[in-house]
Amino acid sequence: MLKVEITKAVCDKADVIAISSLTGYGLEGLQTYLQKDKTIAIVGSSGVGKSTLLNTLNGADFMKVNAIRDEDGKGRHTTTYRQLFRLQNGVWIMDTPGLREIGVLDMEEGIDETFSDVVALFDQCKFNDCSHTSERAVQSVRLLKTVP
């Protein structure tokens, strides 16, 4: 459980739940997130058991999985594509291939490009020192609050 405590310390703004797809340990901690018609993406390193978790949550096999290697106790990279599944309980889960690393490159340009519609609203602001987050007269805040 030391790894869980370390992860909780590093990821203080995210819920960290230790689980085992094989024994069922901790799976009840996921129930808060498993709501009918909600979509969840399973993301993580290669071979950590993302597809096994998907199969366990569904109660039947959706995805092919491989056994853990005897030599080092690690999983094997099996999933090679993204796919969206609807579980028997109505939850949508996207299984994804394993990641080597997660990072943000060229954050300034990437954010402006990704959220160009929001950035365009900033030009309509009548305040030159606006943070675009909480001011009552900010059009971008009003519009963003209407997005479901």
Short mmCIF file of all heavy atoms in Angstrom, two decimals, residues 5 19 22 25-26 34 42 51 65 71 81 91-92 99 107 113 123 125-126 129 135 139 147:
data_model
loop_
_atom_site.label_atom_id
_atom_site.label_comp_id
_atom_site.label_asym_id
_atom_site.label_seq_id
_atom_site.Cartn_x
_atom_site.Cartn_y
_atom_site.Cartn_z
N GLU A 5 -0.10 5.24 -1.22
CA GLU A 5 0.10 6.45 -0.41
C GLU A 5 0.99 7.46 -1.13
O GLU A 5 0.73 8.66 -1.10
CB GLU A 5 0.68 6.09 0.96
CG GLU A 5 -0.25 5.24 1.82
CD GLU A 5 -1.64 5.84 1.96
OE1 GLU A 5 -1.78 7.06 2.20
OE2 GLU A 5 -2.62 5.08 1.83
N ILE A 19 -7.01 -1.14 -6.59
CA ILE A 19 -7.94 -2.19 -6.97
C ILE A 19 -7.19 -3.41 -7.47
O ILE A 19 -6.01 -3.34 -7.81
CB ILE A 19 -8.90 -1.73 -8.09
CG1 ILE A 19 -8.11 -1.38 -9.35
CG2 ILE A 19 -9.77 -0.57 -7.64
CD1 ILE A 19 -8.96 -1.32 -10.60
N LEU A 22 -8.34 -9.10 -10.44
CA LEU A 22 -8.32 -10.54 -10.24
C LEU A 22 -9.02 -10.96 -8.95
O LEU A 22 -9.76 -11.94 -8.94
CB LEU A 22 -6.87 -11.05 -10.24
CG LEU A 22 -6.10 -10.79 -11.55
CD1 LEU A 22 -4.66 -11.25 -11.43
CD2 LEU A 22 -6.80 -11.46 -12.72
N TYR A 25 -10.56 -6.80 -5.07
CA TYR A 25 -10.21 -5.85 -4.03
C TYR A 25 -10.39 -4.41 -4.53
O TYR A 25 -9.90 -4.04 -5.59
CB TYR A 25 -8.75 -6.05 -3.58
CG TYR A 25 -8.27 -5.01 -2.61
CD1 TYR A 25 -8.52 -5.15 -1.25
CD2 TYR A 25 -7.59 -3.87 -3.04
CE1 TYR A 25 -8.10 -4.18 -0.34
CE2 TYR A 25 -7.17 -2.91 -2.14
CZ TYR A 25 -7.43 -3.07 -0.80
OH TYR A 25 -7.01 -2.11 0.08
N GLY A 26 -11.10 -3.59 -3.77
CA GLY A 26 -11.22 -2.17 -4.03
C GLY A 26 -12.19 -1.78 -5.13
O GLY A 26 -12.43 -0.59 -5.34
N LEU A 34 -19.13 4.80 -11.82
CA LEU A 34 -19.79 3.91 -12.78
C LEU A 34 -21.29 4.20 -12.83
O LEU A 34 -22.10 3.42 -12.34
CB LEU A 34 -19.52 2.45 -12.40
CG LEU A 34 -18.05 2.06 -12.34
CD1 LEU A 34 -17.90 0.63 -11.84
CD2 LEU A 34 -17.40 2.23 -13.70
N ILE A 42 -10.28 4.51 -19.75
CA ILE A 42 -9.25 3.83 -18.95
C ILE A 42 -7.91 4.13 -19.62
O ILE A 42 -7.68 3.76 -20.77
CB ILE A 42 -9.49 2.32 -18.90
CG1 ILE A 42 -10.87 2.02 -18.30
CG2 ILE A 42 -8.40 1.65 -18.08
CD1 ILE A 42 -11.22 0.54 -18.28
N SER A 51 -7.53 -3.49 -19.87
CA SER A 51 -8.54 -4.34 -20.51
C SER A 51 -9.07 -5.37 -19.53
O SER A 51 -10.26 -5.72 -19.58
CB SER A 51 -7.94 -5.03 -21.74
OG SER A 51 -7.57 -4.07 -22.70
N VAL A 65 -7.04 -10.45 -23.41
CA VAL A 65 -5.97 -10.07 -22.49
C VAL A 65 -4.94 -11.19 -22.44
O VAL A 65 -5.24 -12.34 -22.81
CB VAL A 65 -6.51 -9.78 -21.06
CG1 VAL A 65 -7.45 -8.59 -21.08
CG2 VAL A 65 -7.21 -10.99 -20.47
N GLU A 71 8.42 -14.11 -15.48
CA GLU A 71 9.79 -13.62 -15.23
C GLU A 71 9.83 -12.36 -14.37
O GLU A 71 10.68 -12.21 -13.50
CB GLU A 71 10.52 -13.29 -16.54
CG GLU A 71 10.45 -14.30 -17.65
CD GLU A 71 9.19 -14.18 -18.51
OE1 GLU A 71 9.01 -13.18 -19.23
OE2 GLU A 71 8.38 -15.11 -18.43
N TYR A 81 -5.68 -0.62 -30.13
CA TYR A 81 -6.61 0.39 -30.65
C TYR A 81 -7.56 0.84 -29.54
O TYR A 81 -7.71 0.17 -28.53
CB TYR A 81 -7.42 -0.20 -31.82
CG TYR A 81 -8.14 -1.48 -31.46
CD1 TYR A 81 -9.45 -1.45 -30.96
CD2 TYR A 81 -7.52 -2.71 -31.56
CE1 TYR A 81 -10.10 -2.61 -30.59
CE2 TYR A 81 -8.16 -3.88 -31.19
CZ TYR A 81 -9.46 -3.82 -30.72
OH TYR A 81 -10.11 -4.97 -30.34
N VAL A 91 -23.00 1.77 -18.34
CA VAL A 91 -21.84 2.66 -18.30
C VAL A 91 -21.05 2.49 -19.60
O VAL A 91 -20.91 1.37 -20.10
CB VAL A 91 -20.92 2.33 -17.10
CG1 VAL A 91 -19.67 3.18 -17.10
CG2 VAL A 91 -21.67 2.50 -15.79
N TRP A 92 -20.56 3.59 -20.15
CA TRP A 92 -19.71 3.55 -21.35
C TRP A 92 -18.25 3.64 -20.91
O TRP A 92 -17.89 4.53 -20.15
CB TRP A 92 -20.02 4.72 -22.27
CG TRP A 92 -21.37 4.62 -22.91
CD1 TRP A 92 -22.53 5.15 -22.45
CD2 TRP A 92 -21.68 3.96 -24.13
NE1 TRP A 92 -23.56 4.85 -23.31
CE2 TRP A 92 -23.06 4.12 -24.36
CE3 TRP A 92 -20.93 3.24 -25.06
CZ2 TRP A 92 -23.71 3.59 -25.46
CZ3 TRP A 92 -21.57 2.72 -26.16
CH2 TRP A 92 -22.94 2.89 -26.36
N LEU A 99 0.16 3.61 -22.60
CA LEU A 99 0.95 4.82 -22.84
C LEU A 99 2.35 4.62 -22.30
O LEU A 99 2.54 4.01 -21.26
CB LEU A 99 0.32 6.01 -22.11
CG LEU A 99 -1.13 6.34 -22.45
CD1 LEU A 99 -1.64 7.42 -21.52
CD2 LEU A 99 -1.23 6.79 -23.89
N MET A 107 2.65 24.09 -24.54
CA MET A 107 1.36 24.31 -23.90
C MET A 107 0.69 25.60 -24.35
O MET A 107 -0.51 25.64 -24.52
CB MET A 107 1.53 24.30 -22.39
CG MET A 107 0.26 24.23 -21.64
SD MET A 107 0.67 23.80 -19.97
CE MET A 107 -0.88 23.99 -19.21
N GLU A 113 -4.94 26.53 -29.54
CA GLU A 113 -5.51 25.80 -30.68
C GLU A 113 -6.66 24.90 -30.25
O GLU A 113 -7.70 24.84 -30.90
CB GLU A 113 -4.42 24.97 -31.36
CG GLU A 113 -3.41 25.81 -32.10
CD GLU A 113 -2.25 24.98 -32.63
OE1 GLU A 113 -2.39 23.74 -32.76
OE2 GLU A 113 -1.19 25.56 -32.88
N ASP A 123 -11.24 38.07 -26.66
CA ASP A 123 -11.10 39.32 -27.40
C ASP A 123 -12.32 40.22 -27.26
O ASP A 123 -12.25 41.42 -27.50
CB ASP A 123 -10.84 39.04 -28.89
CG ASP A 123 -9.50 38.35 -29.10
OD1 ASP A 123 -8.60 38.52 -28.24
OD2 ASP A 123 -9.36 37.65 -30.12
N CYS A 125 -13.85 40.76 -24.47
CA CYS A 125 -13.93 41.25 -23.10
C CYS A 125 -13.70 42.76 -23.05
O CYS A 125 -12.80 43.29 -23.71
CB CYS A 125 -12.89 40.54 -22.24
SG CYS A 125 -13.06 40.93 -20.49
N LYS A 126 -14.49 43.44 -22.24
CA LYS A 126 -14.35 44.90 -22.15
C LYS A 126 -13.34 45.33 -21.09
O LYS A 126 -13.06 46.50 -20.96
CB LYS A 126 -15.71 45.55 -21.90
CG LYS A 126 -16.35 45.21 -20.57
CD LYS A 126 -17.71 45.89 -20.47
CE LYS A 126 -18.37 45.60 -19.15
NZ LYS A 126 -19.64 46.27 -19.01
N ASP A 129 -7.79 43.98 -17.77
CA ASP A 129 -7.10 43.22 -16.72
C ASP A 129 -7.93 42.03 -16.24
O ASP A 129 -7.79 41.57 -15.13
CB ASP A 129 -6.75 44.14 -15.55
CG ASP A 129 -7.99 44.72 -14.88
OD1 ASP A 129 -9.09 44.65 -15.47
OD2 ASP A 129 -7.86 45.24 -13.76
N GLU A 135 -15.36 37.18 -13.22
CA GLU A 135 -15.96 38.51 -13.29
C GLU A 135 -17.40 38.40 -13.79
O GLU A 135 -17.69 37.65 -14.70
CB GLU A 135 -15.15 39.43 -14.22
CG GLU A 135 -13.79 39.81 -13.66
CD GLU A 135 -12.73 38.73 -13.81
OE1 GLU A 135 -13.02 37.64 -14.34
OE2 GLU A 135 -11.59 38.96 -13.38
N GLN A 139 -18.40 37.66 -20.78
CA GLN A 139 -19.21 36.88 -21.70
C GLN A 139 -18.75 35.44 -21.78
O GLN A 139 -19.55 34.52 -21.83
CB GLN A 139 -19.18 37.51 -23.09
CG GLN A 139 -20.05 36.74 -24.08
CD GLN A 139 -20.08 37.39 -25.45
OE1 GLN A 139 -19.42 38.38 -25.69
NE2 GLN A 139 -20.86 36.82 -26.33
N VAL A 147 -22.66 25.53 -21.28
CA VAL A 147 -22.22 24.28 -21.92
C VAL A 147 -22.51 23.13 -20.96
O VAL A 147 -22.12 23.19 -19.79
CB VAL A 147 -20.71 24.34 -22.25
CG1 VAL A 147 -20.24 23.01 -22.80
CG2 VAL A 147 -20.44 25.48 -23.22
#
